[in-house]
């Protein structure tokens, strides 16, 4: 088998879908490892960027465990970049080539260096809590692009149509928007709390108790919208996939809410805070899944061959 044919197999649709899914999983994992950097006070383990020190791009023995943790998180960015570059190549090699699929792959790929730059600014600003929050929210944006890319690899190339009544589609969109608001307010809570990433990092100055109450209020709003969406989808006999996606969103929110309440009343233990960060990614993905489940993409109609004029027997 030639190298070209092997590469063609590598860039086939099943592999493209796996690469897209790996991009989603990798972006969630890097949020988890980024949380580990902050929770172990390793945020300035590499005190500068893009180098780890003024003289070295890698950690040094003098920097200890904090340097290893921070540098390890930086290395994961290169692994994720390799995955998305391979996905872009695979999308480009698809035949027939789908322009929308290529653009989604490129968007997911460019999110990785953009996120790395925000991470560098985070270090250069000595873990400014507002920039740290932006770093997390940038990951949520990249996850959204990666998820859209993954879904596109599993769908035909054609127009979309809603599979539920218009008001429920609007409710699904509203649920996603409120989920995004919950994430934003969650970064404000984090910026007011004790886990700054380094003992000398500043806090955002917000009252932790007050902003936590605001966060809880937005969570209750999200939960109410999700319950309403689940019940409404069942009432109109929506496709089973949409009802199931709404149910999974509810379960993700309840699990995330439980972790949030326990961590708040137990003094924010590191393990629970880390689980809460990863849980935020899962709730975000579940909300996106509900939105995607309320529409479907239809295959393009096959072009009809032009009629070939025939000569009558009399003409012959």
């Amino acid at each position: 088998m030639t190298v070209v044919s092997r590469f063609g197999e590598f860039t086939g649709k099943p592999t493209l879908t796996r690469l897209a899914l790996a991009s989603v999983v990798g972006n969630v994992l890097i949020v988890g490892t980024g949380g580990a950097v902050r929770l172990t006070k390793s945020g300035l383990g590499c005190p500068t960027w893009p180098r780890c020190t003024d003289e070295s791009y890698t950690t040094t023995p003098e920097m200890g465990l904090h340097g290893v943790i921070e540098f390890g998180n930086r290395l994961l960015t290169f692994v994720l970049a390799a995955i998305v570059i391979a996905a872009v190549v695979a999308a480009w090699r698809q035949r027939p080539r789908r322009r929308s699929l290529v653009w989604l792959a490129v968007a997911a790929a460019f999110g990785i260096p953009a996120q790395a730059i925000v991470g560098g600014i985070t270090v250069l600003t000595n873990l400014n809590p507002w920039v740290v929050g932006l770093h997390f929210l940038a990951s949520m944006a990249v996850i959204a692009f990666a998820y859209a890319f993954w879904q596109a690899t599993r769908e035909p190339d054609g127009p979309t149509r809603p599979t539920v009544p218009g008001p429920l589609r609007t409710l699904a969109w509203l649920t996603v928007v409120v989920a995004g608001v919950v994430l934003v307010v969650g970064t404000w809570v984090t910026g007011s709390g004790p886990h700054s990433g380094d003992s000398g990092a500043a806090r955002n100055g917000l009252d932790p108790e007050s902003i936590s109450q605001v966060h809880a209020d937005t969570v209750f709003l999200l939960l109410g919208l999700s319950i309403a969406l689940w019940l409404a989808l069942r009432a109109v006999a929506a496709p089973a996939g949409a009802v199931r996606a709404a149910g999974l969103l509810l379960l993700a929110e309840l699990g995330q809410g439980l972790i949030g309440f326990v961590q708040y009343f137990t003094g924010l233990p590191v393990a629970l805070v880390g689980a809460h960060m990863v849980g935020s990614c899962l709730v975000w993905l579940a909300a996106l899944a509900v939105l995607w489940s309320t529409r479907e993409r239809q295959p393009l109609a096959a072009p009809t061959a032009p009629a070939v004029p025939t000569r009558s027997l009399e003409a012959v």
Side-chain angles (χ1 to χ4, degrees), residues 128-130 185 187-193 202-208 211:
N128 180 289
W130 299 106
V185 179
T187 65
W188 301 347
V189 176
T190 297
S192 69
R203 301 284 75 205
N204 61 20
L206 299 175
D207 177 60
I211 197 62

Side-chain angles (χ1 to χ4, degrees), residues 70-96:
E70 164 64 7
F71 183 68
N73 185 60
R74 292 188 183 189
L75 285 180
L76 284 178
T77 301
F78 292 98
V79 175
L80 191 54
I83 293 173
V84 295
I85 290 172
V88 170
V89 173
W92 181 262
R93 294 277 300 179
Q94 285 286 295
R95 294 294 182 271

Side-chain angles (χ1 to χ4, degrees), residues 203-228:
R203 301 284 75 205
N204 61 20
L206 299 175
D207 177 60
E209 185 174 348
S210 298
I211 197 62
S212 294
Q213 183 61 57
V214 173
H215 182 53
D217 292 341
T218 59
V219 169
F220 283 125
L221 175 59
L222 176 60
L223 188 60
L225 290 172
S226 301
I227 292 173

Side-chain angles (χ1 to χ4, degrees), residues 7-209:
F7 188 73
E9 289 182 0
F10 170 75
T11 55
K13 185 173 181 180
T15 299
L16 177 59
T17 301
R18 295 189 190 102
L19 286 170
L21 180 58
S23 175
V24 175
V25 174
N27 277 290
V28 173
L29 289 177
I30 207 164
V31 170
T33 58
V37 170
R38 180 170 60 85
L39 295 170
T40 58
K41 299 186 182 299
S42 303
L44 295 178
C46 288
T48 188
W49 187 89
R51 298 189 179 193
C52 193
T53 70
D54 290 335
E55 295 80 22
S56 174
Y57 282 98
T58 62
T59 185
T60 62
E62 293 78 15
M63 301 170 71
L65 182 60
H66 292 316
V68 172
I69 294 173
E70 164 64 7
F71 183 68
N73 185 60
R74 292 188 183 189
L75 285 180
L76 284 178
T77 301
F78 292 98
V79 175
L80 191 54
I83 293 173
V84 295
I85 290 172
V88 170
V89 173
W92 181 262
R93 294 277 300 179
Q94 285 286 295
R95 294 294 182 271
R97 182 179 299 143
R98 293 171 54 186
R99 184 174 299 179
S100 60
L101 193 64
V102 173
W103 278 115
L104 281 172
V106 170
F110 270 98
I112 305 305
Q115 174 70 325
I117 291 173
V118 176
I121 295 173
T122 302
V123 173
L124 296 176
T125 57
N126 293 318
L127 307 183
N128 180 289
W130 299 106
V131 182
V132 172
L134 178 62
H135 193 37
F136 174 79
L137 295 175
S139 287
M140 297 300 105
V142 176
I143 286 173
F145 278 115
Y147 181 81
F149 174 47
W150 174 61
Q151 285 285 14
T153 66
R154 305 167 64 230
E155 299 175 331
D157 185 18
T160 60
R161 71 172 187 89
T163 58
V164 300
L168 290 188
R169 178 82 171 147
T170 301
L171 181 57
W173 268 109
L174 181 60
T175 302
V176 171
V177 170
V178 173
V181 172
V182 169
L183 293 174
V184 171
V185 179
T187 65
W188 301 347
V189 176
T190 297
S192 69
H195 299 297
S196 61
D198 185 81
S199 56
R203 301 284 75 205
N204 61 20
L206 299 175
D207 177 60
E209 185 174 348

